[in-house]
Amino acid sequence: NAGVMQNPRHLVRRRGQEARLRCSPMKGHSHVYWYRQLPEEGLKFMVYLQKENIIDESGMPKERFSAEFPKEGPSILRIQQVVRGDSAAYFCASSPRGKSSYNEQFFGPGTRLTVL
Amino acid sequence: QQQVKQSPQSLIVQKGGISIINCAYENTAFDYFPWYQQFPGKGPALLIAIRPDVSEKKEGRFTISFNKSAKQFSLHIMDSQPGDSATYFCAAIETGTASKLTFGTGTRLQVTL
């Protein structure tokens, strides 16, 4: 019974490159959330997705960041033209349902992005 | 805008002592308040949670106290153990209209022998 899986666990990119972070939710979970954790800070919500739909992207930077959760395959957080300020730990969480009642969000181990 | 304020930033407690972490929130629409525990290199894991219609919830050595009128809640860890050394995050969520967790800034707890 695997938990939330994220890969890669560590990613190093040079300024201007693209970063792709992958998240496979727990079995049976159709809701995915992405959070970003800057050093010595709490987690900040970025985006909430269901299969093939973005439900809430109020925490996503307006430029360079995008997310998808296709019908098949993992959810992907994509950061184009990375800058040093993008260096952070990116966590994915999944839950069986979203609104209407609280369902625990199970977190993955995170992807630690370092931009050189 | 920091909607959930957490203190202290770091805490050192002797083994067997009580660890207390405090949080305050601003948004009165929040109706569920979980606490997460995070070990280095790992993702956060749910520890205990409370709804505002309850003033206290206890699970083993972990207790949440909730003061709705003051918009404050706290985590108490009784008989703290070295294995409790981790970063603790309080969080809040509006279950009816949104699903995103709003986290506090975290408290790094170190339990010494």
Side-chain angles (χ1 to χ4, degrees):
Chain A
N1 189 12
V4 178
M5 298 173 66
Q6 290 187 250
N7 66 80
R9 295 292 309 277
H10 299 275
L11 183 61
V12 179
R13 286 287 178 266
R14 297 191 179 280
R15 280 180 297 170
Q17 292 184 319
E18 177 180 290
R20 283 192 177 220
L21 288 61
R22 294 175 184 77
C23 169
S24 296
M26 287 181 68
K27 187 176 181 180
H29 288 192
S30 58
H31 297 254
V32 166
Y33 312 80
W34 285 93
Y35 294 83
R36 177 165 62 175
Q37 184 176 32
L38 294 170
E40 306 300 321
E41 292 189 14
L43 286 80
K44 295 284 197 304
F45 168 80
M46 299 182 73
V47 63
Y48 161 39
L49 311 103
Q50 295 179 27
K51 288 280 188 182
E52 300 184 283
N53 281 305
I54 297 174
I55 307 302
D56 180 356
E57 55 181 347
S58 58
M60 286 277 271
K62 294 286 185 279
E63 298 177 351
R64 302 187 298 108
F65 285 73
S66 62
E68 62 177 5
F69 189 15
K71 187 176 182 180
E72 301 291 338
S75 174
I76 298 194
L77 179 67
R78 182 183 177 202
I79 311 172
Q80 295 179 291
Q81 300 175 331
V82 296
V83 300
R84 289 215 173 104
D86 296 333
S87 295
Y90 292 82
F91 290 95
C92 167
S94 73
S95 73
R97 292 197 306 274
K99 298 180 184 179
S100 78
S101 63
Y102 181 68
N103 292 275
E104 179 183 349
Q105 294 182 20
F106 294 83
F107 284 81
T111 294
R112 279 147 186 86
L113 172 66
T114 301
V115 180
L116 301 177
Chain B
Q1 183 184 7
Q2 182 63 43
Q3 291 196 51
V4 178
K5 295 182 180 179
Q6 183 172 347
S7 63
Q9 189 174 6
S10 62
L11 182 61
I12 300 175
V13 173
Q14 279 198 324
K15 179 182 175 183
I18 302 173
S19 304
I20 302 174
I21 304 171
N22 301 299
C23 286
Y25 63 97
E26 299 167 3
N27 184 353
T28 54
F30 288 145
D31 60 356
Y32 195 74
F33 301 86
W35 284 87
Y36 283 83
Q37 179 187 56
Q38 184 180 30
F39 293 103
K42 305 290 185 184
L46 180 66
L47 188 63
I48 187 173
I50 196 169
R51 292 196 177 276
D53 53 351
V54 176
S55 61
E56 186 175 283
K57 183 174 181 180
K58 184 175 180 179
E59 289 184 3
R61 296 184 294 108
F62 301 91
T63 300
I64 302 178
S65 298
F66 193 90
N67 185 331
K68 187 175 181 178
S69 61
K71 294 187 287 186
Q72 295 175 347
F73 57 111
S74 60
L75 175 69
H76 292 63
I77 306 174
M78 312 300 286
D79 187 26
S80 299
Q81 299 297 312
D84 296 332
S85 297
T87 299
Y88 293 81
F89 294 96
C90 60
I93 189 169
E94 300 174 50
T95 59
T97 60
S99 297
K100 56 189 176 188
L101 288 161
T102 299
F103 283 88
T105 50
T107 296
R108 184 174 293 178
L109 171 65
Q110 182 182 354
V111 180
T112 62
L113 292 171

